[in-house]
Amino acid sequence: MKINEIKSTLTSSKKNKRRGRGSGSGLGKTSGRGVKGQKSRSGVSINGFEGGQMPIYRRLPKRGFKNHFKVKVQNINFNTINNLINKYKLDPQAIKEEDLFRRKILNKSKGNLKLLNVGKLEKSASLEISFASKKAIETIEKLGGKVNLTKK
């Protein structure tokens, strides 16, 4: 092996083409853009144009639907409430959705809260929450708690 046969292992050693730097560079005068026409001008990008052929974004059918009026809801259950009471030392008789968001225990951007009847509640609790299932409300009221729905 000779010194002139050694190749660099670095990929960043490739230089960019220096266009418009004289005829000796091989890319002088028109800088590889050809002569005249829309593509030779600066500031032109013809996205989606396929030379008069029907573009792919028009050939393919429209798909799907996005409901802009959808209400974001995050589900919580009795297990979650037990964990919140134990971890954050919450008063089970005064748990409010707004307080959970304000104290950054739960994230408001993920939506309002909905209580579901999953797991077992250890203590009776009084909740002020956006949504709750009928079974969850029944379960809390059997334990002597109360559910106040802020949205209906």
Side-chain angles (χ1 to χ4, degrees), residues 9-10 13 22 30 32 35-36 58 63 85 90 98 108 123 131 136 145:
T9 56
L10 299 174
S13 62
T30 55
V35 186
K36 293 187 182 175
R58 289 183 61 197
R63 295 278 303 190
I85 290 169
L90 297 176
E98 296 167 17
K108 173 76 173 158
K123 303 170 187 170
F131 309 102

Side-chain angles (χ1 to χ4, degrees), residues 30-143:
T30 55
S31 305
R33 287 174 175 260
V35 186
K36 293 187 182 175
Q38 187 177 15
K39 288 186 187 173
S40 71
R41 319 280 188 223
S42 67
V44 175
S45 64
I46 313 167
N47 287 339
F49 184 70
E50 297 183 18
Q53 175 179 304
M54 186 65 66
I56 193 159
Y57 64 87
R58 289 183 61 197
R59 287 195 303 257
L60 297 175
K62 292 184 195 173
R63 295 278 303 190
F65 170 75
K66 181 153 179 118
N67 186 358
H68 298 290
F69 302 103
K70 182 179 178 185
V71 178
K72 279 186 175 179
V73 176
Q74 52 183 323
N75 298 329
I76 63 166
N77 53 42
F78 295 137
N79 296 332
T80 312
I81 290 172
N82 289 333
N83 293 339
L84 293 178
I85 290 169
N86 295 334
K87 186 174 180 183
Y88 296 99
K89 308 288 187 263
L90 297 176
D91 177 24
Q93 296 306 319
I95 298 174
K96 292 186 179 179
E97 183 177 352
E98 296 167 17
D99 294 338
L100 297 176
F101 292 145
R102 197 176 323 110
R103 290 177 63 184
K104 295 190 176 155
I105 296 170
L106 294 170
N107 193 347
K108 173 76 173 158
S109 67
K110 291 182 181 176
N112 293 321
L113 300 180
K114 180 171 183 174
L115 179 65
L116 300 178
N117 185 32
V118 177
K120 286 207 171 190
L121 196 60
E122 293 170 359
K123 303 170 187 170
S124 70
S126 207
L127 293 168
E128 191 171 304
I129 199 164
S130 294
F131 309 102
S133 68
K134 290 178 184 176
K135 291 272 189 183
I137 294 170
E138 286 174 17
T139 307
I140 286 185
E141 288 174 350
K142 277 182 188 173
L143 286 168

Side-chain angles (χ1 to χ4, degrees), residues 4-30:
N4 64 327
E5 295 173 347
I6 296 173
K7 289 187 178 176
S8 173
T9 56
L10 299 174
T11 56
S12 61
S13 62
K14 187 176 180 184
K15 299 284 185 199
N16 291 340
K17 291 181 179 179
R18 296 185 68 229
R19 295 179 170 183
R21 296 294 181 272
S23 59
S25 69
L27 289 167
K29 195 181 165 214
T30 55

